[in-house]
Amino acid sequence: RNWEHCTHLPDQLAAQRKEIDAVLEPFLLSPETLREVKNKMRTELEYGLKRETQGSATVKMLPTYVCGTPDGTEKGKFLALDLGGTNFRVLLVKIRSGRRKSVRMYNKIFAIPLEIMQGTGEELFDHIVHCIADFLEYMGIKGARLPLGFTFSFPCKQASIDKGTLVGWTKGFKATDCEGEDVVDMLREAIKRRNEFDLDIVAVVNDTVGTMMTCGYEDPNCEIGLIAGTGSNVCYMEDMKNIEIVEGNEGKMCINTEWGGFGDNGCIDNIRTEYDKEVDEGSLNPGKQRYEKMTSGMYLGEIVRQILIDLTKRGLLFRGQISESLRKRGIFETKFLSQIESDRLALLQVRQILQQLGLDSTCEDSIIVKEVCGAVSRRAAQLCGAGLAAIVEKKRENRGVEHLQITVGVDGTLYKLHPHFSRVLQETVKELAPWCDVTFMLSEDGSGKGAALITAVAKRLRNIDKYLYAMRLSDETLIDIMARFRREMKNGLSRDFNPTATVKMLPTFVRSIPDGSEKGDFIALDLGGSYFRILRVKVSHEKKQTVQMESEIYNTPEDIMHGSGTRLFDHVAECLGDFMEKQQIKDKKLPVGFTFSFPCRQSKLDEGVLITWTKRFKASGVEGADVVKLLNRAIKKRGDYDADIMAVVNDTVGTMMTCGFDDQRCEVGLIIGTGTNACYMEEMRHIDLVEGDEGRMCINTEWGAFGDDGSLEDIRTEFDREIDRGSLNPGKQLFEKMVSGLYMGELVRLILVKMAKEGLLFEGRITPELLTKGKFETKHVSAIEKSKEGLSKAKDILTRLGVEPSHEDCVAVQHVCTIVSFRSANLVAATLGAILCQLRDNKGVGRLRTTVGVDGSLYKMHPQYARRLHKTTRRLVPDSDVRFLLSESGSGKGAAMVTAVAYRLADPLLLAALRGQRKGRGLRRRCFSPATV
Ligand code: G6P
Ligand code: G6P
Ligand code: BGC
Ligand code: BGC
């Protein structure tokens, strides 16, 4: 026949036409079938995201720890490896940011011989490192320890951006001893074995992710990466709240779907043909990657070959002769398939290609081969389109929009080289996801570029980590700090060491928690926390003990906190007068409990000599004086009302008493607010400073001063020192300054300033607001660490500081906040742990069961703090059952409880009885005023 006229099968073959059609019929997928495939894919995507179904899901939905697409601020010089596609490449990528942002790349392709792809893991990685060495030599950069991004185009389980455990080989790879191993470790070890150069492996990335990032650099709307090449796969940006296996609900993370495994549970077996099964059985990974084997370049040629063999057997092709060549697995590579299907190619040329492959064909044979190729590749494109439609539909639902506009970054030889694949794919998506306007963007530079961009971001985050390395305290360090604090406690309790001890361990003369018998009408003053509050507390005793409280908050302006002591106490007395007026009790002399949240030395309940001011206060002439006397004097001076101050109570003690009212087991009071401190019930026999060995007394540890003798220098950072220098009390309360709310925001601000100065944030921009002390508050730390709106809060807060934060900046700032607040919770867990151990040892029990009463704005307002504190404490003191009980009503109620007991004991008859009980100890008490309760 004349090849010029050979365009279709001649009439005499019409009989065979039917048989050929019958063979190819299963490759024609109806719109309904495709829709079904889309829906099944959709179901599998959800399975992969859910915790309970994820283990058995065929579409693995692997978290990648890539949390954003490029924003143009990436920069630096990077190495990239690109392994797993048609070519193995080593690249040098130079990224410039800013207005002249650009990416320059240099690369070299290396062969990976079959025996290495399927040899041992060690051989494979040695070969890779050999190629890197060659490249470094070639580029003349062997000495530089460059950061490296590793595109590894196989399914990997990741727990962070720089770790990836190979789930299973796919495509043409089958090296031994790699599955279940971390490929980054394997690469690192191979580099070590070679011992010629060093590299800093920062990120491991799937090719889909690399492709999405490559395209995302040009188009910020690119949130999907598709590979239609040797293998088939998709990744996309998923909302964190939908990813159950990764903690946190905030923002997005890229999910590598590994959709190649779709159907491995048999769910698309209805559309798999005999030929597909044949191909699967002959592959390196039978039973696996069933969807990939119907859609990707590595397998399409094989499917074609299987059909051709069948047609030949049926006598419909190659004169019924199965040639040697046709028996050869892998002869139909994607590129031949693409050539054969080209419309521009005359049949004569098709014949020439077949001849190259060793297949001697007639004109009719060529037509049939071309038709077979068409059926197989068309089905592949349609199936791929159905899968992609499921993904874009999911994106549309996530965004909650009717109409979605999105860009898909695409790479892969099949998509790029095949004459019809991309068109059919796009048509299918349009058909199955009509509400989505999908732009397909071809990746021109491969995944290497994207991997380098990811490496740039990851390196920046890691820099922060490294930068703040000193703030991450290991359990080992925390246990050490726990031991140090235990020693401090011991020193503070001992007569000999107390005078020089930094942790003062102050006796409070409170000897028990409320027992339910308290009653009366009391006033409580509560000074020293975020608010100055005055309360009226009525404890009644009809049937059940009930407490009724009314309170008023009073302002304490800064000039009063920092002025003279006389003025401060005049202010307190004035507010008390106002309160009594409002309560219409000015004519009464109600007992008053005074919560004074500063370190006071007490020799009895109604005396408190201020040792030193802390936090925001610095009024002159008070340190060394008894605050009860000062307040009494101020009240007397006024002369318009009278008050009977019966007890001074630290806020920790007030909190313990408040919580003790509800839980008899409560024997620790903890404050994590403006300041930090704790009290607990200690055995009298351990308290040298108070006579007597029986029973217990509450000790106000004043742990804020821990470290004032230099014992925490090893964990203090330059930022802690700077905070201290700028504070009202330099050199004092060093532990408190690492922990409490008054300092946390400022600590973060100092870190941000330094990071910006070093170009790690805000592209190096620093604004006057950012440089202003106090502009970044602890409540901002709390807002930024919120799991849902944290990042958008970060954006608002930073924008108000005048910097224009990028998404990556926001992520970085959130990271800084987390590190600083986590350190605080960890430190408190260590000191609290020491107290718990002391209690356990005092009781001589193996396992401690106790309740800690807690109060303070940081503990209450910070979204993660309490959970972290509880968790670390339980880890540090495993032999304990600790209940953390939040004080709902402040220390005022507790102070009233203490006052109630004091008031009752002030009864002379009771006092006498008490004296009789405690032989020889009554001498220390003055008449009518109980020294202890
Ligand atoms: C990308 C990458 C490759 C990747 C490939 C898929 O651009 O740089 O490493 O695996 O495309 O295509 P292929 O057809 O080579 O499998
Ligand atoms: C308690 C008290 C306050 C105390 C505070 C600590 O409930 O009633 O006076 O000092 O909590 O928290 P803050 O965050 O206010 O310092
Ligand atoms: C791999 C994927 C990869 C895809 C495209 C598949 O065989 O499992 O990780 O993205 O091929 O290269
Ligand atoms: C004070 C403590 C107080 C703590 C919490 C510290 O600065 O020294 O007495 O308990 O803050 O308010």
Side-chain angles (χ1 to χ4, degrees):
R1 266 164 54 81
N2 184 348
W3 280 89
E4 299 284 308
H5 301 287
C6 182
T7 52
H8 47 68
L9 291 178
D11 293 345
Q12 63 263 43
L13 285 176
Q16 289 146 354
R17 175 73 263 175
K18 261 201 177 139
E19 198 170 348
I20 294 168
D21 285 349
V23 166
L24 295 183
E25 202 262 345
F27 289 86
L28 302 176
L29 303 179
S30 68
E32 289 71 49
T33 309
L34 289 172
R35 197 155 289 125
E36 211 175 280
V37 171
K38 178 188 92 170
N39 294 338
K40 282 183 187 162
M41 177 68 89
R42 188 60 214 272
T43 309
E44 293 291 316
L45 297 177
E46 300 299 342
Y47 278 172
L49 288 174
K50 298 263 177 302
R51 195 185 295 277
E52 71 262 31
T53 43
Q54 193 261 340
S56 58
T58 54
V59 178
K60 288 278 171 236
M61 305 297 275
L62 302 169
T64 63
Y65 294 83
V66 169
C67 295
T69 47
D71 67 359
T73 62
E74 301 79 7
K75 63 176 180 217
K77 208 156 109 181
F78 307 91
L79 268 190
L81 294 182
D82 190 349
L83 177 80
T86 317
N87 295 310
F88 168 48
R89 234 181 263 263
V90 186
L91 308 93
L92 176 66
V93 186
K94 293 181 182 172
I95 313 175
R96 265 217 310 234
S97 65
R99 258 186 304 136
R100 292 159 67 211
K101 79 169 202 185
S102 68
V103 178
R104 271 193 300 167
M105 306 205 291
Y106 309 85
N107 78 79
K108 203 171 166 191
I109 293 177
F110 294 89
I112 301 194
L114 190 69
E115 64 271 19
I116 284 193
M117 288 207 265
Q118 297 174 17
T120 70
E122 219 172 89
E123 282 161 357
L124 173 63
F125 281 91
D126 281 345
H127 177 73
I128 293 170
V129 172
H130 167 81
C131 298
I132 300 175
D134 181 284
F135 180 76
L136 295 177
E137 191 88 53
Y138 168 77
M139 297 295 299
I141 48 170
K142 214 160 188 175
R145 187 176 185 261
L146 290 177
L148 177 134
F150 183 12
T151 305
F152 183 72
S153 308
F154 302 94
C156 281
K157 272 216 170 96
Q158 297 194 258
S160 62
I161 187 79
D162 62 348
K163 286 191 176 63
T165 305
L166 177 62
V167 178
W169 286 115
T170 61
K171 301 178 281 195
F173 282 72
K174 192 99 191 142
T176 56
D177 310 319
C178 297
E179 293 177 352
E181 299 295 322
D182 179 1
V183 294
V184 175
D185 278 347
M186 296 195 75
L187 180 59
R188 234 176 240 139
E189 275 155 28
I191 292 174
K192 242 191 241 156
R193 273 199 297 278
R194 192 172 178 96
N195 196 21
E196 244 177 55
F197 56 85
D198 195 14
L199 294 172
D200 175 16
I201 309 168
V202 178
V204 57
V205 178
N206 187 263
D207 53 354
T208 53
V209 185
T211 298
M212 181 185 78
M213 298 299 271
T214 301
C215 296
Y217 192 65
E218 316 299 335
D219 178 352
N221 204 21
C222 179
E223 292 203 347
I224 301 178
L226 169 69
I227 297 287
T230 315
S232 172
N233 194 12
V234 148
C235 74
Y236 72 104
M237 295 304 294
E238 175 60 274
D239 294 352
M240 276 292 278
K241 63 177 188 308
N242 296 335
I243 311 174
E244 288 189 356
I245 54 166
V246 180
E247 216 182 290
N249 282 330
E250 174 56 36
K252 294 182 193 172
M253 183 183 279
C254 179
I255 288 288
N256 166 17
T257 66
E258 285 297 334
W259 78 7
F262 177 46
D264 287 4
N265 57 357
C267 76
I268 50 168
D269 275 358
N270 60 323
I271 55 167
R272 284 174 79 223
T273 64
E274 288 313 306
Y275 313 109
D276 293 309
K277 289 175 190 158
E278 205 79 52
V279 168
D280 178 38
E281 275 156 30
S283 70
L284 286 175
N285 50 351
K288 296 198 173 134
Q289 301 290 96
R290 294 188 195 175
Y291 181 69
E292 172 162 273
K293 285 170 187 164
M294 298 167 86
T295 51
S296 82
M298 169 135 180
Y299 306 97
L300 297 192
E302 269 304 284
I303 303 174
V304 168
R305 192 176 68 93
Q306 293 298 341
I307 302 174
L308 298 187
I309 290 174
D310 188 35
L311 290 175
T312 310
K313 276 187 191 156
R314 294 167 188 251
L316 296 165
L317 259 183
F318 306 131
R319 298 174 204 88
Q321 295 294 312
I322 299 179
S323 61
E324 265 316 298
S325 306
L326 197 55
R327 280 187 223 280
K328 261 194 233 147
R329 192 177 290 158
I331 52 159
F332 277 99
E333 291 176 36
T334 316
K335 64 179 181 211
F336 297 125
L337 211 76
S338 301
Q339 286 169 10
I340 290 169
E341 285 192 63
S342 165
D343 291 332
R344 278 172 310 179
L345 220 59
L347 269 186
L348 190 57
Q349 289 165 296
V350 174
R351 183 188 184 212
Q352 280 163 2
I353 293 167
L354 291 174
Q355 250 158 4
Q356 267 179 39
L357 300 178
L359 300 170
D360 195 17
S361 64
T362 64
C363 158
E364 290 75 20
D365 288 344
S366 306
I367 296 173
I368 295 170
V369 170
K370 193 163 169 160
E371 239 183 75
V372 170
C373 290
V376 171
S377 66
R378 185 177 172 76
R379 183 189 66 157
Q382 287 181 325
L383 283 177
C384 198
L388 192 58
I391 301 273
V392 293
E393 275 290 322
K394 173 127 183 76
K395 286 292 299 178
R396 187 173 74 95
E397 278 172 34
N398 281 355
R399 285 209 203 148
V401 293
E402 212 164 285
H403 199 92
L404 175 81
Q405 267 202 326
I406 197 156
T407 301
V408 179
V410 202
D411 208 341
T413 40
L414 184 58
Y415 188 92
K416 279 182 172 169
L417 301 179
H418 193 280
H420 310 303
F421 186 92
S422 60
R423 181 181 41 81
V424 177
L425 167 78
Q426 292 177 22
E427 283 168 4
T428 312
V429 175
K430 202 170 214 147
E431 176 87 25
L432 296 182
W435 306 110
C436 302
D437 180 1
V438 184
T439 307
F440 289 81
M441 179 175 189
L442 194 63
S443 157
E444 301 289 352
D445 310 300
S447 336
K449 176 173 166 178
L453 289 165
I454 291 168
T455 307
V457 176
K459 183 148 167 58
R460 191 157 68 171
L461 277 183
R462 215 182 52 182
N463 276 344
I464 299 171
D465 262 11
K466 248 208 212 132
Y467 203 76
L468 297 178
Y469 181 74
M471 289 203 165
R472 286 187 179 269
L473 304 174
S474 64
D475 276 7
E476 205 183 346
T477 308
L478 292 177
I479 287 167
D480 182 36
I481 292 170
M482 193 156 89
R484 284 185 224 178
F485 188 65
R486 194 90 195 265
R487 279 195 295 276
E488 298 284 345
M489 288 169 65
K490 201 160 176 231
N491 284 344
L493 289 173
S494 97
R495 190 186 307 275
D496 297 342
F497 292 108
N498 176 276
T500 53
T502 45
V503 177
K504 285 294 176 206
M505 304 295 281
L506 301 167
T508 64
F509 296 86
V510 168
R511 308 202 28 153
S512 68
I513 57 167
D515 67 358
S517 66
E518 302 78 10
K519 64 175 180 220
D521 192 354
F522 309 96
I523 301 255
L525 295 176
D526 189 350
L527 181 75
S530 329
Y531 303 105
F532 169 35
R533 199 177 274 142
I534 304 182
L535 309 90
R536 181 157 177 205
V537 186
K538 288 185 206 161
V539 193
S540 59
H541 230 264
E542 285 136 21
K543 274 194 210 145
K544 209 173 128 234
Q545 195 182 26
T546 51
V547 178
Q548 200 196 336
M549 303 203 299
E550 286 166 87
S551 77
E552 193 97 24
I553 288 177
Y554 290 90
N555 242 346
T556 317
E558 190 164 296
D559 60 312
I560 288 189
M561 292 195 275
H562 297 174
S564 76
T566 317
R567 231 179 116 212
L568 172 64
F569 282 94
D570 284 349
H571 173 71
V572 173
E574 186 189 328
C575 296
L576 181 54
D578 175 82
F579 185 77
M580 291 177 69
E581 177 110 40
K582 281 188 180 136
Q583 290 282 326
Q584 298 175 331
I585 44 171
K586 250 188 156 167
D587 53 333
K588 292 192 182 153
K589 189 180 177 187
L590 292 186
V592 176
F594 185 11
T595 303
F596 185 68
S597 308
F598 300 95
C600 287
R601 205 172 275 291
Q602 295 186 267
S603 63
K604 53 187 166 120
L605 204 54
D606 60 350
E607 177 199 83
V609 176
L610 177 65
I611 297 175
T612 175
W613 284 116
T614 62
K615 302 180 281 194
R616 275 188 242 272
F617 281 72
K618 202 164 178 64
S620 59
V622 186
E623 290 177 353
D626 175 6
V627 294
V628 177
K629 277 208 184 101
L630 294 180
L631 182 55
N632 268 332
R633 195 180 299 156
I635 294 172
K636 284 249 159 58
K637 205 160 67 184
R638 295 177 60 85
D640 58 341
Y641 67 90
D642 206 355
D644 190 2
I645 305 167
M646 305 217 57
V648 201
V649 179
N650 188 264
D651 52 355
T652 52
V653 182
T655 298
M656 183 186 78
M657 298 298 270
T658 301
C659 293
F661 184 77
D662 297 318
D663 182 342
Q664 283 281 319
R665 230 184 266 283
C666 186
E667 48 191 348
V668 182
L670 170 64
I671 298 285
I672 309 164
T674 316
T676 184
N677 191 14
C679 70
Y680 72 103
M681 298 302 293
E682 178 58 276
E683 302 295 318
M684 279 292 282
R685 65 192 144 91
H686 292 158
I687 308 173
D688 286 358
L689 295 180
V690 183
E691 262 179 68
D693 280 346
E694 281 150 60
R696 304 203 292 175
M697 181 179 279
C698 177
I699 290 290
N700 167 15
T701 64
E702 285 297 333
W703 75 19
F706 182 26
D708 289 6
D709 59 351
S711 64
L712 291 176
E713 285 317 293
D714 57 334
I715 59 161
R716 285 177 77 225
T717 65
E718 55 177 300
F719 307 110
D720 297 308
R721 292 180 227 287
E722 206 172 331
I723 286 279
D724 181 44
R725 277 197 297 273
S727 69
L728 284 176
N729 51 350
K732 288 185 180 163
Q733 300 290 99
L734 298 185
F735 179 75
E736 176 161 273
K737 286 169 187 164
M738 297 168 87
V739 165
S740 78
L742 183 57
Y743 309 98
M744 185 173 284
E746 183 63 5
L747 210 45
V748 170
R749 188 188 67 84
L750 293 178
I751 295 170
L752 299 188
V753 168
K754 172 120 192 264
M755 283 175 62
K757 279 188 182 155
E758 293 189 2
L760 289 166
L761 276 179
F762 318 132
E763 290 185 326
R765 284 186 308 266
I766 297 173
T767 61
E769 291 91 333
L770 188 62
L771 286 174
T772 309
K773 188 173 166 188
K775 272 276 176 189
F776 197 97
E777 297 172 44
T778 302
K779 66 175 187 212
H780 296 146
V781 178
S782 294
I784 289 173
E785 286 192 60
K786 283 218 170 89
S787 61
K788 283 225 158 45
E789 331 91 286
L791 283 179
S792 61
K793 295 270 184 216
K795 188 160 186 172
D796 294 347
I797 291 162
L798 294 169
T799 305
R800 262 181 274 133
L801 290 178
V803 293
E804 295 157 31
S806 66
H807 176 77
E808 298 304 332
D809 285 333
C810 295
V811 173
V813 170
Q814 193 177 51
H815 200 63
V816 173
C817 290
T818 305
I819 290 179
V820 172
S821 65
F822 221 127
R823 181 184 69 156
S824 163
N826 281 341
L827 286 171
V828 172
T831 45
L832 178 64
I835 290 180
L836 295 174
C837 290
Q838 175 87 355
L839 281 172
R840 185 197 54 204
D841 294 353
N842 283 349
K843 293 182 189 201
V845 291
R847 199 171 178 85
L848 175 74
R849 197 164 158 210
T850 193
T851 297
V852 177
V854 202
D855 207 341
S857 44
L858 181 56
Y859 181 88
K860 280 182 174 169
M861 311 300 280
H862 190 287
Q864 326 277 353
Y865 198 98
R867 195 175 44 85
R868 292 179 190 154
L869 171 68
H870 303 168
K871 212 168 155 184
T872 313
T873 307
R874 289 179 182 131
R875 212 172 52 238
L876 295 181
V877 191
D879 40 5
S880 63
D881 300 308
V882 185
R883 176 180 184 216
F884 288 86
L885 183 58
L886 186 66
S887 157
E888 301 286 356
S889 31
S891 341
K893 178 173 166 183
M897 293 298 149
V898 175
T899 310
V901 180
Y903 190 64
R904 181 160 52 90
L905 292 182
D907 180 335
L909 285 176
L910 232 165
L911 199 62
L914 207 79
R915 272 185 188 154
Q917 255 173 16
R918 299 230 193 92
K919 288 160 247 141
R921 293 190 61 240
L923 285 176
R924 282 176 34 248
R925 289 184 201 101
R926 273 178 302 151
C927 208
F928 299 121
S929 181
T932 71
V933 298

